[in-house]
Amino acid sequence: MAAEWSVVLLTCQRGGCVSAFQRELEARRLRGGLGPRPPPLLLAVEDPWARLGSGGATLNALLVAAEHLSARAGCTVVTSDVLREARILILHMGRDFSFDDCGRAFTCLPVEEPGALAEALVCNLDSLLGTMTHRLCVGSPPGVWVCSTDMLLTVPSATGIDWDGFQGVRVIAVPGSQMYARNHGVYLTDEQLSLFFDIVLCMARGMTEEDFVKGGADASARSARSVLWTALRAFPLSMACIPDASYDYMTTSASDHIRSLTLLPGSASHLRFCKTAHSHVDQPCLLEDGSSVTNCLLEGVVRLAAGSVIQHCHLQGPLEIGPGCLLSGLAVGSSPALQGCPLRDIVLQGHHVRLRDLPCRVFTLTGRLDDWQSPAEEATYLNMPWAEFFHRTGIREGDLWDAETPRRSRCLLSARLFPVLHACEALGLDDVLWLLAPAAVAGKRLACWRTAWRMSWQELLPCLDKAAELGARRALFFLQGQRKVRTVLLGRRDSSLLPLARSAVHEGYHEAVLGTLDEVASTAGDAGIAARALACIAEVLGCMARGEGGLRSGPAANREWASAFGHLESGDIAGGVRELAAERQKWMSRPALLVRAARHYEGAEQILIRQAVMSSCQFVTVGQVELPPLGHWVQVACPARLDLSGGWSDTPPITYEHGGAVVDVAVLVDGCRPIGARVRRISEPELRLVSLGGTSRSEAVAELVCRELEHLQDYCQPHAPGALLKAAFICTQVVQFPSQKPLQTQLMESFGGGFEVHTWSKLPHGSGLGTSSILAGAVMASLYRAAGKAASTESLIHAVLHLEQRLTTGGGWQDQVGGLVPGIKIGRSKAQLPLRVEVEKILVPDSFTQTLNDHLLLVYTGKTRLARNLLQDVVRNWYARLPCTVQNADALVSNAEECAQALRQGNLPLIGKCLDRYWQQKKCMAPGCEPLAVRRMMDALRPYVYGQCLAGAGGGGFLYVLTKVPLQKEALHQILAKTEGLGNFSIHSIAVDTSGFSVEVVGCDLKDGAHPGEDMAV
C-alpha cells in the first residue's frame, strides 16, 4: 500500500539550480521511484527571495501547487478549491551542506536496492520519499505534508497512527535524548517566517492571540502572525509519536557524517547499508569492515581503513586511506597526487564551481575534528590548533582574513584557504594537499599558494555548480556500471543487468552501455557469454521503445540482418556482432523499429544458443544394422510424458548455465501409447511426408512430397508444412543439406530410392504432454532404422535436442526423456558445455506403480497453448537474470530432487505437495500460464487431491491430478460437471509405461502386422 500524491514539491534556495533538481525529480518518476502511481505533478520550486524561511517556502510551494492544480482542472484563475481533495507533499532542501555540494537531500547513502525497477544511486531524498510514500503517510486523508530533508529518518513499517476521522494539523514526533536536544535544539527562530514558530505555534494550546502576535520580531512579522492567527487558530493541533522511529540530523560535524554513512541503520529502516554500493572495486578485500564506498571506481591497490568513506571518486592505486577520512568528487587525475600522501582524519573534496561563465574544478581540505564556525583562537584546522598550522606552513592570518575582519568572525568558514585559479598553470589536488606536508616541503608550495586566487568555503558556496556536480555523478555511475556489465557477463554471475539498462535509457547513457555490450560479445570468445550480451542489447533496445512499437516476441527474418546472422551461423561471432551493431544504427529512430531490432538481437542470441546446444551432438552415436527390405515399414510407438517437477530447468540456456533436474513419468493414455511414426523405403527417389489423424490407421490429413533439396529449405520454420520431418531427415544425415548433390541423386546412391514417413498423435495440439519432442524422437528412431542405422536411447535424447535447435523451436530435453525412457526417472544436466543429459531410474516400492496408476488422472482443460511465446519470455527473463527467475530455477531443481525422494518412499501426500509447489514455480517462471477456466477447475478439485499441475509449460492442455482416493474418474467428472465456466473438458485414465517405446519392422501389409501399443520390439 502506498500514498498516492497529487503533487510532490521540492523547495530550494534562490539561485539553487532549480532546473537541475527538476531533472532529478523527473528521473525518479521514470525509474519508478515514486510508487506504482507516480504523482502527475513533480515540481522543483525556487524560493522567491533569499532567507525566506521554512514557513515562507511552505506557503510559496502551496501557492505554486494550487496554480498548477488549477490549470490542470481547467480553471483560468488560481482557486483553493483544488486543494480540498489533493494530497500534497512538500520537501524542503534547507541550507547548504558542508559535505555534499548538492545539499543534504542529494547526499548519497551506501545503499543498493536489488528489487528496484531501475538501478540508481540512493539519496537521502529517495529514502525520505520512500518513508513518506510507503510508511508514514499511508492511510492519511487528503491534505498537505511538509518534511525537511536535513535528517536521516527511520520509521517502522507499521507506524500505529490512527487517521480515522482526523481533521486539523498533526505533527509527527520521534523519541530523542536530552543530549541530542541540547546539542541540536528543537526550534530556532529569527526574522524569517518559521514553519514551527509562526505557522504551527498559533494552533498550540495555551497560546493567546496577543502573546502570539507580539512574538513577531518586527512589524512585518507581527502583521504576518496576525493573518496566520485569524486563518489557522480554529484548526486543532495534535501530535503523533512513533516510539520505534529515529531522527538523525545531518550536522556540520564530519565525525557525525562519517558515522552516519558507516553505521548500519536501525532494524526499522527500509534501507540496508552495504560496504560497497554502486561501485567497481578491483580488490574489495582491501576495504575494511566499517568503511563505505559509494558510486566509485577504485582500480588497483586501494586500501581503505574502517571509519572512512569514499563517494563519487575514480581513483587508481596504490593508495592507502587511513581511518576517519571522507573523500568525495575526486577524478582519476587526482590519483598521482594522493599516492604516498598520508591520509588520516581528513575531509578531501573536489567541487564543480562556476565563476560567472567559467567552469572550474576546486579542491577543499579540512580535518575531521574541525569546526566551521568557531573562532580561530578556540578552533582547529586539519585537527590542529590554528597557531600550530600557521607555524608549520608559514601561512599568516593576513593571508586568510582581511585586517578589518573581527576576531570572532575569523573562522574556518571565512578563511580564504582554497585556491581557485592560477595565472599560468592548471589547478590540481597538490594545491591543497601541501597543507598536510611537513614544514620543509610546505615552504616550497607557499609562494605558489599565495599567488593563487583563493576563496573561502563561505565564498565558494554560491558558486557551486550543482548541475555539473549531478552530471558528473551520473557519468561516474554509468562508467562503473559499464565495468559492472563486463564483470557480470565475463564472470557468468547471476546478477540482473536489466535495472541498469533501464537507467541508462532514462538518463541518456544507452549508447555507452550498448558499446560495452558489443565489446563483451565480440571479444569474450565464448558463445554463451556472447548470447547473454546480445540478449542484454535486446533489453536496452526494448527499454528505448518505452512500451511502444508492438510486442517483443515476433519474427526476426528481415533480410537486412541476414549477413550478420550468417557470420554468427558460421562461427564468426566477432564479425557477426560488428555487423549487428552497424545494422542497429539504422533501426533506432522510432519505437516500432527499436522493437524489431530487439527481435533480431534475440534471433541472433538464439543462433548462439543453438550452437551451444548442438555441442550435445557428440553424445549421439549411430551404428550400422541391416537395411530393412524395400517397402517394409519400421514403426515406433511412444508413450506420453508427465513432468512431475523441475520443468523449465531443462530449457537452454538455463540447463547449461544453471543446471537442470526434471522428474518425468512415461504414461499410457487411456491404455495406449498415443504418439507414433513409421517409415519405409520406396523405389521413387523422393520423400513422402504424411500426417495421419489420431492413430496409425487413420486417414491422411496432410501430405507433402519433396523431390528437390529446395523443398527442404524451410525445415527451420516450425510452422512450415512438414518442417519437423524435414529437419529429421537432415539431422539424421539421411539427407545432406545443403549439398551440391541433388536430392534424388543422394537418395538413389545411398538407399536405392526414397522414403515415406507417416506420423500420428491421439493427443490434441498443445496438450502439454511433450507430443512434438516425443514425436521427433519417434520419427528419428524409425528413420534411423529404416536407413540401416541404430541409435541408443541416450543418443536419441541428444539427437532430438539437436533437431529442435535446427527447427528453431528451441525446446529442452525433458519431453524426450519422459517419452523415450520407460517408467519413472529423473533427468539431470550440469551447468556446463557440452550439454549432456544423464537419466537415473527412480526405484519405487513394490506395487507403488499400480498405486500411482489408481491415483493419477488426466483432465483435458479444453484450452490449447503454444509453448513458443512462453519459452521466449522465460529465456528473456533468464538472460535478464531477474532475481525471481534465478531463485525459481534453484527451487525447481531442489523440488525435483525432493519429488524423486518422495517417489522412492512411495509417499503420495509428499508427492502431492511437490506437484502443488511445482505449479507455483511454473507460474512464477511463466506468468500468465494459468487461464481463468483452469483456475476454476483446480479450485473445484483441490479438496479431493493431494496435488495437481498443468502438464508442460502451462497455459492450457492437460491437467494432471493426484487424488486422495483411488479410482476417482467418475467422481471428478461429476464435480467438474457442476462447476461453471469450464468449457469442454474430458477426463482420461493414465498408467505408468514401464516398457518404453517400441521399434518394430512390421512388413509391407500393416493389416497383417502389429500396431502401435504392442511391445514387439525388433
Side-chain angles (χ1 to χ4, degrees):
M1 192 173 179
E4 295 184 10
W5 303 111
S6 307
V7 56
V8 172
L9 303 102
L10 179 67
T11 73
C12 61
Q13 298 180 70
R14 187 164 183 79
C17 206
V18 66
S19 59
F21 296 141
Q22 182 68 43
R23 184 190 190 284
E24 290 297 312
L25 289 178
E26 294 296 342
R28 281 154 177 77
R29 186 212 301 274
L30 286 173
R31 63 179 182 242
L34 295 168
R37 296 182 181 176
L41 285 172
L42 292 172
L43 302 170
V45 180
E46 188 177 54
D47 291 347
W49 57 81
R51 299 182 62 79
L52 183 65
S54 56
T58 300
L59 294 177
N60 182 62
L62 266 178
L63 178 61
V64 172
E67 180 182 349
H68 282 263
L69 289 171
S70 297
R72 290 182 70 88
C75 303
T76 57
V77 295
V78 177
T79 171
S80 61
D81 293 343
V82 295
L83 301 178
R84 294 186 184 278
E85 296 302 318
R87 287 176 164 81
I88 299 172
L89 173 61
I90 300 174
L91 297 153
H92 291 309
M93 288 275 292
R95 298 182 177 90
D96 295 310
F97 189 40
S98 311
F99 308 114
D100 196 294
D101 291 358
C102 299
R104 292 172 172 88
F106 290 98
T107 296
C108 285
L109 305 179
V111 171
E112 291 188 351
E113 297 178 303
L117 289 174
E119 187 171 330
L121 299 175
V122 177
C123 303
N124 188 37
L125 175 67
D126 301 300
S127 173
L128 291 169
L129 280 169
T131 297
M132 300 296 287
T133 301
H134 298 286
R135 297 194 173 197
L136 198 52
C137 307
V138 173
S140 64
V144 181
W145 280 84
V146 184
C147 179
S148 72
T149 60
D150 57 5
M151 78 293 193
L152 298 172
L153 182 63
T154 300
V155 173
S157 56
T159 60
I161 302 176
D162 182 10
W163 295 105
D164 287 345
F166 170 76
Q167 287 185 327
V169 176
R170 177 168 283 169
V171 294
I172 307 299
V174 301
S177 66
Q178 290 183 352
M179 180 180 294
Y180 188 90
R182 184 168 61 251
N183 288 343
H184 303 294
V186 179
Y187 304 118
L188 293 174
T189 184
D190 50 28
E191 67 276 11
Q192 301 172 9
L193 187 63
S194 167
L195 174 63
F196 293 101
F197 271 100
D198 290 307
I199 296 178
V200 175
L201 185 61
C202 70
M203 294 174 277
R205 295 192 187 100
M207 177 60 65
T208 67
E209 181 177 8
E210 181 179 2
D211 291 341
F212 176 71
V213 173
K214 283 183 178 179
D218 53 28
S220 62
R222 287 191 289 275
S223 174
R225 282 187 165 217
S226 179
V227 172
L228 289 171
W229 182 273
T230 302
L232 301 178
R233 179 58 184 173
F235 288 93
L237 175 66
S238 61
M239 183 187 76
C241 183
I242 307 175
D244 296 329
S246 65
Y247 173 105
D248 188 9
Y249 180 70
M250 299 170 74
T251 72
T252 57
S253 162
S255 296
D256 288 350
H257 186 61
I258 291 171
R259 189 181 306 113
S260 69
L261 296 178
T262 52
L263 287 180
L264 296 178
S267 59
S269 175
H270 62 284
L271 301 176
R272 291 291 174 264
F273 283 15
C274 49
K275 185 195 300 184
T276 306
H278 302 295
S279 298
H280 174 86
V281 181
D282 278 353
Q283 299 188 44
C285 60
L286 301 181
L287 309 180
E288 293 185 6
D289 291 341
S291 63
S292 174
V293 177
T294 303
N295 194 33
C296 289
L297 196 54
L298 304 184
E299 301 170 326
V301 178
V302 179
R303 300 180 185 276
L304 184 64
S308 284
V309 174
I310 308 180
Q311 292 195 329
H312 317 302
C313 291
H314 182 182
L315 300 175
Q316 292 177 338
L319 294 176
E320 185 154 354
I321 300 161
C325 293
L326 170 63
L327 274 63
S328 176
L330 302 180
V332 66
S334 303
S335 300
L338 288 170
Q339 292 168 5
C341 182
L343 299 179
R344 185 186 184 96
D345 291 326
I346 60 98
V347 178
L348 180 58
Q349 301 179 84
H351 309 273
H352 290 268
V353 172
R354 183 167 289 275
L355 305 174
R356 295 190 178 177
D357 294 327
L358 179 66
C360 303
R361 289 281 284 151
V362 175
F363 302 95
T364 59
L365 177 68
T366 58
R368 178 176 64 85
L369 304 176
D370 297 344
D371 185 282
W372 285 97
Q373 294 181 300
S374 295
E377 290 93 340
E378 306 167 9
T380 63
Y381 178 57
L382 298 179
N383 309 308
M384 69 183 78
W386 279 97
E388 181 182 338
F389 169 75
F390 291 146
H391 176 74
R392 188 171 58 77
T393 60
I395 293 175
R396 298 186 294 266
E397 282 195 54
D399 293 324
L400 304 180
W401 298 286
D402 296 333
E404 60 271 19
T405 303
R407 304 293 300 177
R408 300 296 295 175
S409 299
R410 297 186 180 188
C411 59
L412 177 56
L413 188 65
S414 60
R416 296 191 184 96
L417 276 162
F418 311 117
V420 175
L421 280 176
H422 287 300
C424 301
E425 60 183 283
L427 197 72
L429 199 56
D430 286 328
D431 288 293
V432 293
L433 285 179
W434 76 273
L435 300 173
L436 295 170
V441 177
K444 301 175 182 178
R445 299 286 308 182
L446 179 59
C448 180
W449 177 85
R450 279 198 171 120
T451 60
W453 177 18
R454 288 172 282 108
M455 298 175 74
S456 67
W457 180 242
Q458 195 171 42
E459 293 167 330
L460 279 171
L461 279 174
C463 304
L464 294 177
D465 190 340
K466 297 176 174 63
E469 176 61 29
L470 290 168
R473 293 180 185 182
R474 237 180 345 262
L476 183 56
F477 173 80
F478 286 107
L479 183 60
Q480 66 81 26
Q482 289 169 258
R483 297 292 182 92
K484 175 181 179 178
V485 168
R486 293 189 187 95
T487 301
V488 167
L489 294 180
L490 296 175
R492 306 175 193 273
R493 296 185 182 178
D494 285 339
S495 300
S496 179
L497 295 176
L498 181 55
L500 180 64
R502 291 193 183 109
S503 281
V505 171
H506 297 332
E507 302 281 4
Y509 279 84
H510 49 274
E511 287 291 355
V513 172
L514 287 171
T516 300
L517 291 168
D518 287 335
E519 177 196 343
V520 171
S522 60
T523 61
D526 181 283
I529 293 173
R532 186 178 174 191
L534 296 182
C536 289
I537 292 175
E539 290 291 4
V540 174
L541 298 173
C543 291
M544 290 175 66
R546 301 182 187 274
E548 300 178 6
L551 295 174
R552 280 283 302 277
S553 298
N558 188 287
R559 65 183 62 186
E560 299 297 325
W561 300 81
S563 176
F565 282 17
H567 280 281
L568 297 177
E569 293 279 12
S570 67
D572 179 12
I573 294 177
V577 171
R578 282 194 301 271
E579 289 215 22
L580 286 169
E583 184 61 30
R584 181 178 73 218
Q585 295 304 316
K586 307 172 189 175
W587 297 68
M588 305 280 276
S589 60
R590 63 180 191 272
L593 293 180
L594 285 164
V595 168
R596 280 155 182 77
R599 290 178 184 172
H600 283 83
Y601 265 93
E602 290 187 341
E605 148 216 318
Q606 287 296 325
I607 293 172
L608 299 182
I609 292 175
R610 266 201 307 278
Q611 292 175 351
V613 173
M614 284 195 231
S615 65
S616 64
C617 287
Q618 62 189 270
F619 305 114
V620 178
T621 55
V622 179
Q624 295 294 321
V625 295
E626 183 181 356
L627 196 67
L630 194 70
H632 280 59
W633 289 100
V634 177
Q635 190 159 271
V636 173
C638 295
R641 72 96 185 89
L642 282 187
D643 55 317
L644 298 188
S645 55
W648 286 122
S649 73
D650 66 305
T651 303
I654 301 173
T655 190
Y656 59 77
E657 292 185 351
H658 175 275
V662 183
V663 174
D664 273 325
V665 184
V667 293
L668 305 176
V669 179
D670 291 332
C672 72
R673 296 187 181 122
I675 303 163
R678 58 175 175 249
V679 180
R680 66 175 177 179
R681 288 192 299 120
I682 56 178
S683 57
E684 296 85 353
E686 61 189 25
L687 306 178
R688 297 177 189 167
L689 313 179
V690 181
S691 176
L692 305 180
T695 71
S696 61
R697 299 186 180 277
S698 300
E699 295 295 323
V701 294
E703 295 186 42
L704 184 67
V705 178
C706 301
R707 298 187 176 91
E708 308 289 342
L709 282 178
E710 289 74 16
H711 297 161
L712 302 179
Q713 64 185 4
D714 59 354
Y715 76 94
C716 57
Q717 299 174 26
H719 299 295
L724 185 149
L725 303 184
K726 295 173 184 178
F729 276 100
I730 294 169
C731 292
T732 56
Q733 297 185 337
V734 171
V735 172
Q736 301 298 319
F737 182 91
S739 173
Q740 297 297 318
K741 190 176 293 186
L743 175 61
Q744 295 185 353
T745 304
Q746 290 188 43
L747 294 173
M748 291 303 296
E749 288 181 356
S750 299
F751 305 104
F755 291 87
E756 183 176 352
V757 183
H758 292 185
T759 60
W760 60 89
S761 171
K762 289 184 66 175
L763 303 173
H765 178 69
S767 67
L769 299 181
T771 305
S772 59
S773 298
I774 297 171
L775 183 61
V779 170
M780 295 184 88
S782 57
L783 190 53
Y784 273 132
R785 184 67 185 85
K789 303 177 182 181
S792 65
T793 301
E794 180 186 11
S795 293
L796 285 174
I797 290 170
H798 293 92
V800 172
L801 264 175
H802 175 215
L803 181 146
E804 291 191 325
Q805 292 302 318
R806 296 290 293 269
L807 190 61
T808 71
T809 51
W813 44 257
Q814 64 148 313
D815 295 345
Q816 58 265 39
V817 168
L820 300 179
V821 179
I824 308 168
K825 59 272 177 181
I826 180 169
R828 299 184 181 93
S829 62
K830 296 178 181 177
Q832 64 184 37
L833 290 174
L835 172 58
R836 183 169 193 173
V837 184
E838 298 175 309
V839 183
E840 173 194 344
K841 183 177 181 182
I842 297 175
L843 301 177
V844 298
D846 292 343
S847 76
F848 183 69
T849 298
Q850 185 57 47
T851 301
L852 268 184
N853 295 344
D854 293 341
H855 287 263
L856 276 173
L857 284 172
L858 271 183
V859 183
Y860 184 59
T861 64
K863 301 285 183 182
T864 60
R865 64 107 189 97
L866 180 64
R868 182 173 174 81
N869 287 341
L870 291 177
L871 175 63
Q872 286 181 319
D873 291 340
V874 169
V875 172
R876 187 179 299 136
N877 292 342
W878 171 253
Y879 269 137
R881 291 303 195 275
L882 299 184
C884 60
T885 301
V886 175
Q887 294 163 11
N888 203 42
D890 294 337
L892 283 164
V893 172
S894 62
N895 190 54
E897 298 293 349
E898 186 175 337
C899 183
Q901 187 60 29
L903 285 162
R904 294 184 189 103
Q905 298 168 0
N907 188 331
L908 285 179
L910 184 54
I911 296 169
K913 286 183 179 179
C914 291
L915 298 186
D916 283 342
R917 191 183 303 132
Y918 182 32
W919 178 232
Q920 298 306 316
Q921 292 164 351
K922 284 186 180 183
K923 291 193 290 184
C924 175
M925 193 63 91
C929 68
E930 183 182 56
L932 178 59
V934 171
R935 189 181 313 153
R936 288 173 177 160
M937 185 176 288
M938 297 178 84
D939 289 343
L941 295 177
R942 188 162 288 112
Y944 309 98
V945 301
Y946 286 125
Q948 53 188 331
C949 185
L950 275 182
F958 279 97
L959 170 73
Y960 59 90
V961 298
L962 185 68
T963 61
K964 294 178 179 177
V965 178
L967 306 175
Q968 291 293 292
K969 183 176 179 180
E970 293 303 321
L972 294 194
H973 194 282
Q974 292 177 17
I975 293 167
L976 294 179
K978 297 175 183 177
T979 305
E980 294 182 357
L982 297 190
N984 296 321
F985 71 90
S986 57
I987 301 181
H988 305 264
S989 62
I990 49 176
V992 178
D993 185 349
T994 56
S995 301
F997 75 100
S998 61
V999 181
E1000 307 161 287
V1001 180
V1002 295
C1004 298
D1005 188 353
L1006 286 174
K1007 293 181 181 178
D1008 298 329
H1011 60 82
E1014 296 181 9
D1015 272 331
M1016 290 177 47
V1018 175

